Amino acid sequence: MKKLQLPYNWLLPLSLILIVACSPEKKFTDNGLIDGLASVITLQPDTTVVYLDDFVNDITKVDTIYPPAGMVATRKENKVYLTGIAENKIDHLQIVSEQSTFAIPVKKADKKKVVFTYNKPANKVHVKGEFNAWNVEAGRFNKNENGFEISFAVQPGNYQYVYVVDGKEIRDPLNPDSVENGLGGFNSLLRITKPNPDSLPKLSTKSFTDFNVVLAVSLPINNVRVYWQNFLVDVNNTVKSEIRFTIPKEALTLQRSYIRAWVSNKQGISNEILIPLANGKVVSTASQLTRQDKHAQILYFMMIDRFKNGNPSNDKPVADKSIHPKANYFGGDIAGVTQKVKDGYFEQLGINTLWLSPITQNPEGAYGKYTNPNTTFSGYHGYWPVSLRKIDYRFGNENELKELLIEAHSRNMNVILDYVAHHVHNEHPLVKQKPEWFTPLYLPDGTINTERWDDQRLTTWFDVFLPTLDLRKPEVVNPMTDTAMYWVQQYELDGFRHDASKHIDLLFWRTLTKKVKDQLRKQTDRSLYQIGETYGSRELVASYVNSGMLDGQFDFNLYDDAVATFARNDVSFSRLLTSMDESLSYFGDHHLMGNVTGNQDRARFISYADGSVRFDEDAKRAGWTRTISVTDTIAYKKLQLLTAFMLVSPGVPVIYYGDEIGDAGGNDPDNRRQMRFDNLNTHENATRQSASYFINLRKKHLALIYGDWQVLYQTNNQVVISRKYFDDQVIIAFNKAADPATINIEKNPVLNKEISGFVSGNSLSLSPYSVQVFTSDK
């Protein structure tokens, strides 16, 4: 039996002290040039292109740019090209403006060259996988005297892929490593080894006073970077395992600002430290946070039509007998959401951010087609807009939306709106008025451009009645972003969930976010949370997330691995923890990615967990062809484990409506059933209580919002995780096995404050399918 080892940063070597001090003469005046925290720039192997507009509000005020040590910076209008080899693994790009010097953090990528070969007879060979966003056209092999070959620069991590040989998908014949693809088959698996975690320095928050902060560092280092907002704080080296710095006096004038810190050694970069400040002092209790603190958000997504019918007078299902009742309007509306806000449902659950499905006017007819059973569909979901500014009368009106916002805000809850920018419905007037604004339905080779998710990612139509806006064109982007701005200017909304983000050119996101900063942030001091939806590789997902575009996207890669880990007994925790490491590597230790419990485009987790839906079947067809219910009550326990994991992980938790009670279902529309609030069975009540417990646990503990992430103990079926922010510490122990588990905890006196129920020198016993929480005495 393995023994639990307390994290090594609690046992600090007495070999190094780093003293970081702010020089009294140093100026920290931004003059409004950079809005919020500048996102970290990841250097590419050859040339890194930095869009100044992503960081700087007015690029005409930029006087000088200094590259990271060892590199050359070349500016061409709004772009900076970084070339050369960076001397430090963590550094910054300096931007000088009006005697202020800003520092945008830069980290060195550890991409490795990977060569793929194919030596059998063939005419054309391609490779598609997570490293090239599954785009077969981006993976065409070159033919040489030995066969076929192609190379990629790839970050350390695990990547699924397949070869496409003369149009047929096969696994790499030279790679025996493979993984199930979730569709009944297998993909090849590329593994690129990361540095040994024990060789990397670890940073942790140690202590603070009114003006000073102390961080602990676990190993000798050769580089340290500490920033307040977007300014470098000077570093002085002495002798101990601590980093000390003084909070700049300019922080006193800001209601919220942040400290960020990294260190590195020859092996790599440490985790990131993020410390929120309130008028220059370290935020020390969760009660100091407001709904404007994005890291503290806990989202709840509801499909309005399926949530609650608060105003039956606006009910109007589509009068077309070809539509199966499951694909027609149920009657849910904005008034129903407001009623649940007023009756305290969300407050009791602990939710502080509501995500509404799209509310723009959708068609009144039937569209699309499905066989077995034969049915068409209504636009009950809201994703087929025939107007971009009008509220669908079946969901409510302007006054009802404003009432919802007033009621939510009075209870310290945000409301974000699902916005569809990628396409409109055929009935939208623009289709006839501006046909040049849309991409062609047919490609030059005559093939139809529908559902070409990867090779025609920015032009594909989702269906023949949903024309795609060509958002690569500025003349289309400008009015379309104005339409998005209408919703946040007309209504006090707190952000957007953006549909189909990866199918929209980056020009749209840059334009929209700049308008948010220029027209909303400067004029009203409102900061929106923008989260996107992208299915694809982490590199593709991350390419949409930075200071000038989206705050985050849903982490479906992590979700897929969590589903497999908690639903299946044959999948070990190593898969999920590896996935978490890769997400933190790509998105940062304090990212704003969405950690979902479920999704409107996936079968319900609980139905995978009890075997009602198989991983190797068409989950949509399963939902149409049989009645799916919970057949094994253990699945409720498994769902509680998955929900708990998402709520204690770095990022923004997202509860999909019905997951808090364990609603069953195949893929859509079966996963979009009418929400149930009453007459729940014992297991459903227990599941809701468990969700509420972990939601409120997160709201109470800064460690779960800003703390570091450490795995203290790991086997196939058990894992113990620590989150720590100064004296606030939460330890979470999971057992996903059908049998009880006992973990021997090695006695260690380094805890300077006892963790409630978690005492060195004792054994920790875990019941089957259980999670235990231990907290500091705070």
Side-chain angles (χ1 to χ4, degrees), residues 47 133 180 232 240 244 423 427 445 451 492 548 619 636 664 707 753-754 772:
T47 301
E180 289 178 282
L232 178 68
K240 242 189 180 177
R244 298 175 181 267
H423 60 262
E427 293 182 10
D445 63 3
E451 299 186 0
E492 290 287 323
Y636 289 105
K753 186 172 258 190
E754 182 178 313
Q772 289 191 38

Side-chain angles (χ1 to χ4, degrees), residues 150-169:
I150 191 173
S151 63
F152 294 91
V154 182
Q155 282 278 101
N158 296 337
Y159 301 88
Q160 296 185 43
Y161 69 100
V162 293
Y163 281 3
V164 182
V165 180
D166 293 333
K168 182 180 179 181
E169 291 187 6

